[in-house]
Amino acid sequence: MLEEERKYQVDDGFRMPNLSAAGRVSAREPVTLRATYYDTAERLLARHGVSLRYRKNDAPAKVWTVKLPSSTVGVRHEHSRPAAGAGVVPPDLLDLVTAYRRGRTLRPAAVLRTVRTVYEVADRDGAVLAEVADDVVSVLDGRKVAHRFREIEVERVDGGPKLLDKIERLLLRAGAEAGDFVPKHVRAMGRLEAPVLVVPAPLRRRPRAGDVVTEAIRRDIARIFKHDPFARLRAIMPNGDTPVHQMRVGTRRLRSDLQTFQALLDPSWTAPLRAELAWLATALGGARDVEVLRARLHRTAAADPLVPPDPEAVESIDAALAARQEQALAVLDAALHSRRYVRLLDALVEAVQAPRLSELARERADEVLPGIARKPWRRLVSGGGGVPGAGELTPDLPDDDWHEVRKRAKRARYAADAVSAVVGPDAVLLAKAIARAQGVIGEHQDAAIAADAWLAAAAAAPGDHALAVTAGRLFERERASVTRARAKFPSVWESVLEDKNIAWLK
């Protein structure tokens, strides 16, 4: 469940304003909530915007809840389960915080008693649009109250952002103060050290090369951590993307950055780290590849609605892919639940907190990084090692050559992204231009792989004539996509080579 709320600080003398301007208002009877928040000794969950709570209400309901952060301030993903008792965390909720606790013991970190009065704001038909909770919170130390505070929490139900804005104006006029979004249990714990995976270290005016590379690495690692819980849930993101895809992107970018900027890093440290990332990438790749194939199957089948392929044959192919996907996800689940993965997570946190840098990393970033970024760019442009340059791709070259250029395009794009903090907008322009070219070659690669997959599906059922015909039609459509991508690429590549994109590399 996605939870969107806003919080406001108020003092003991605050009086709830008349909220009728926002809708029909009704007040519930006050309830007392007792919540125990669990965390590691280092407060790793709270520091990363995650909470694990055991709550016992006035009613007999006892519930465990995990809240995971979103990229939007005030929005959190909430997952609750009935409780067997305090201290007995449901295994699936415990699993969701794996990346943040990393095998460390969880213990009570804050105990809160909240007297809550809820005001429902509804429309004319009685549908609840928002809830305004007036909370008086006591932070408990054993049976004693250590300190107390009061806050107002506005949670969106079926209303829109404009309604929340209207309620906010009413609260502010009444004396409430809008501040940073800080959960109750974090306020109870006091000031916490900012987590390196969430808050980047500010770059100095003239940063060293090592500072910039460390920040690039941090972003890659943060992407892996952020999407870990949702990969375990097998969730689909609001934009239709998947957490498996995002974790794979984070893993690939990190491996690429570690290689591109290896002159700034200790190779005895990065080599084993890259090997472990390769292991994780393999587990993620198996699951992601089938995701892509299943989505492609339905897209290709629907490409021409006037002559659709046999629906039963398409469903048969999809069923085989679904079984294959389940196997791949089982492999990924095993990897994510392994000690090896937890050790890798610890190593990734160390990579941000204490990166092992070379002497060159002490030099000024603007003097070192552009030269390093030129290397993957030149490999993309000029080729080498049996791989043609991007401008040398021709329609008669094999699919593998196009794929190798695609991989080099990714590395050049990642490098431009990483140094943009120093180079500025010019590097951003190049990264975006390469991304467009990479998109064309990516379509080429996806179509080529899919074409082979459809033929393999037919070969797996030699007696199924309808399936063979359908697979053949799908194959032809995919190869037509390959042809279109090859025809489109030269003009897209020419736009990459515009002087505004590459002048800083000369």
Side-chain angles (χ1 to χ4, degrees), residues 37 39 41-48 109-112 137 139-140 146-147 149 181-195:
Y37 289 85
D39 210 327
E42 306 90 339
R43 303 295 189 261
L44 293 178
L45 302 191
R47 288 170 57 196
H48 288 90
V111 181
L112 309 181
V137 183
V139 181
L140 304 182
H147 62 95
F149 60 88
F181 184 90
V182 180
K184 294 180 181 63
H185 69 291
V186 176
R187 289 186 64 180
M189 292 178 190
R191 188 174 182 85
L192 297 173
E193 181 183 351

Side-chain angles (χ1 to χ4, degrees), residues 252-273:
R252 280 180 163 178
R253 290 192 72 134
L254 180 55
R255 291 180 67 206
S256 178
D257 286 341
L258 290 175
Q259 181 170 347
T260 297
F261 300 104
Q262 57 187 327
L264 305 175
L265 304 166
D266 179 352
S268 66
W269 172 65
T270 57
L273 186 56

Side-chain angles (χ1 to χ4, degrees), residues 8-297:
Y8 305 88
Q9 297 180 14
V10 296
D11 57 29
D12 290 339
F14 177 81
R15 297 184 63 181
M16 184 65 68
N18 184 348
L19 302 174
S20 58
R24 296 173 56 183
V25 181
S26 60
R28 300 182 199 158
E29 288 295 319
V31 297
T32 300
L33 311 172
R34 183 184 176 94
T36 302
Y37 289 85
Y38 286 74
D39 210 327
T40 68
E42 306 90 339
R43 303 295 189 261
L44 293 178
L45 302 191
R47 288 170 57 196
H48 288 90
V50 177
S51 68
L52 174 61
R53 180 188 70 203
Y54 170 74
R55 175 180 279 176
K56 183 170 68 173
N57 303 347
D58 282 341
K62 300 174 182 178
V63 178
W64 282 94
T65 300
V66 164
K67 291 187 179 182
L68 302 167
S70 169
S71 56
T72 304
V73 175
V75 177
R76 293 183 290 173
H77 300 266
E78 181 177 314
H79 304 272
S80 297
R81 300 288 184 273
V88 184
V89 186
D92 57 337
L93 294 189
L94 189 62
D95 187 44
L96 295 182
V97 299
T98 296
Y100 299 101
R101 76 182 187 98
R102 302 192 300 282
R104 290 157 177 79
T105 301
L106 295 172
R107 62 192 70 182
V111 181
L112 309 181
R113 185 178 64 223
T114 303
V115 178
R116 169 171 290 182
T117 304
V118 174
Y119 300 84
E120 293 183 345
V121 180
D123 62 16
R124 295 179 180 178
D125 298 324
V128 178
L129 304 176
E131 292 183 350
V132 181
D134 186 351
D135 290 343
V136 179
V137 183
S138 298
V139 181
L140 304 182
D141 182 5
R143 295 184 177 181
K144 297 180 180 180
V145 176
H147 62 95
R148 183 181 285 114
F149 60 88
R150 185 180 175 196
E151 69 177 25
I152 305 298
E153 182 178 290
V154 182
E155 182 173 350
R156 185 159 73 94
V157 182
D158 287 331
K162 290 184 178 180
L163 174 67
L164 297 190
D165 292 340
K166 184 178 292 186
I167 294 173
E168 178 172 284
R169 287 193 291 270
L170 295 172
L171 293 173
L172 295 180
R173 288 171 189 165
E177 294 183 9
D180 294 335
F181 184 90
V182 180
K184 294 180 181 63
H185 69 291
V186 176
R187 289 186 64 180
M189 292 178 190
R191 188 174 182 85
L192 297 173
E193 181 183 351
V196 293
L197 294 182
V198 176
V199 182
L203 292 176
R204 62 189 81 186
R205 184 179 178 185
R206 292 181 176 177
R208 296 174 180 173
D211 298 332
V212 177
V213 172
T214 299
E215 172 56 17
I217 291 172
R218 184 202 66 82
R219 289 196 302 267
D220 301 337
I221 295 172
R223 190 191 296 256
I224 296 171
F225 273 70
K226 175 183 176 181
H227 292 94
D228 170 286
F230 304 104
R232 296 169 188 272
L233 290 167
R234 300 188 180 182
I236 300 296
M237 296 163 62
N239 62 0
D241 201 355
T242 68
V244 171
H245 178 216
Q246 287 301 313
M247 283 189 74
R248 190 189 195 190
V249 169
T251 304
R252 280 180 163 178
R253 290 192 72 134
L254 180 55
R255 291 180 67 206
S256 178
D257 286 341
L258 290 175
Q259 181 170 347
T260 297
F261 300 104
Q262 57 187 327
L264 305 175
L265 304 166
D266 179 352
S268 66
W269 172 65
T270 57
L273 186 56
R274 291 187 67 236
E276 290 302 283
L277 288 167
W279 164 75
L280 177 59
T282 298
L284 290 165
R288 174 58 183 167
D289 289 344
V290 190
E291 277 184 357
V292 173
L293 277 176
R294 291 191 71 188
R296 184 133 199 135
L297 171 65

Side-chain angles (χ1 to χ4, degrees), residues 189-452:
M189 292 178 190
R191 188 174 182 85
L192 297 173
E193 181 183 351
V196 293
L197 294 182
V198 176
V199 182
L203 292 176
R204 62 189 81 186
R205 184 179 178 185
R206 292 181 176 177
R208 296 174 180 173
D211 298 332
V212 177
V213 172
T214 299
E215 172 56 17
I217 291 172
R218 184 202 66 82
R219 289 196 302 267
D220 301 337
I221 295 172
R223 190 191 296 256
I224 296 171
F225 273 70
K226 175 183 176 181
H227 292 94
D228 170 286
F230 304 104
R232 296 169 188 272
L233 290 167
R234 300 188 180 182
I236 300 296
M237 296 163 62
N239 62 0
D241 201 355
T242 68
V244 171
H245 178 216
Q246 287 301 313
M247 283 189 74
R248 190 189 195 190
V249 169
T251 304
R252 280 180 163 178
R253 290 192 72 134
L254 180 55
R255 291 180 67 206
S256 178
D257 286 341
L258 290 175
Q259 181 170 347
T260 297
F261 300 104
Q262 57 187 327
L264 305 175
L265 304 166
D266 179 352
S268 66
W269 172 65
T270 57
L273 186 56
R274 291 187 67 236
E276 290 302 283
L277 288 167
W279 164 75
L280 177 59
T282 298
L284 290 165
R288 174 58 183 167
D289 289 344
V290 190
E291 277 184 357
V292 173
L293 277 176
R294 291 191 71 188
R296 184 133 199 135
L297 171 65
H298 295 288
R299 192 179 101 187
T300 303
D304 188 349
L306 296 179
V307 284
D310 182 272
E312 291 186 4
V314 172
E315 182 59 33
S316 177
I317 296 174
D318 187 56
L321 289 175
R324 181 174 150 195
Q325 183 177 23
E326 189 60 36
Q327 292 173 350
L329 287 171
V331 171
L332 177 59
D333 285 343
L336 297 182
H337 288 83
S338 68
R339 287 190 176 185
R340 182 177 182 179
Y341 178 63
V342 173
R343 289 195 297 269
L344 172 58
L345 294 176
D346 276 333
L348 294 180
V349 172
E350 181 189 356
V352 181
Q353 293 178 330
R356 301 183 194 177
L357 303 173
S358 68
E359 286 298 318
L360 184 62
R362 300 176 182 273
E363 302 296 327
R364 279 179 45 176
D366 57 352
E367 295 178 354
V368 173
L369 293 182
I372 292 178
R374 287 189 193 101
K375 293 180 181 178
W377 168 250
R378 286 171 179 166
R379 282 172 58 83
L380 171 62
V381 174
S382 304
V387 179
E392 299 168 346
L393 286 175
T394 56
D396 59 326
L397 287 176
D399 294 340
D400 286 347
D401 282 354
W402 285 76
H403 180 48
E404 290 301 319
V405 172
R406 180 197 183 197
K407 291 194 291 186
R408 292 189 176 186
K410 282 186 178 182
R411 183 161 295 162
R413 172 191 158 202
Y414 295 161
D417 268 340
V419 304
S420 62
V422 174
V423 175
D426 291 349
V428 175
L429 283 175
L430 178 61
K432 290 181 177 179
I434 296 175
R436 289 189 290 271
Q438 182 188 321
V440 175
I441 317 178
E443 167 65 15
H444 176 286
Q445 175 68 3
D446 289 348
I449 290 176
D452 291 342

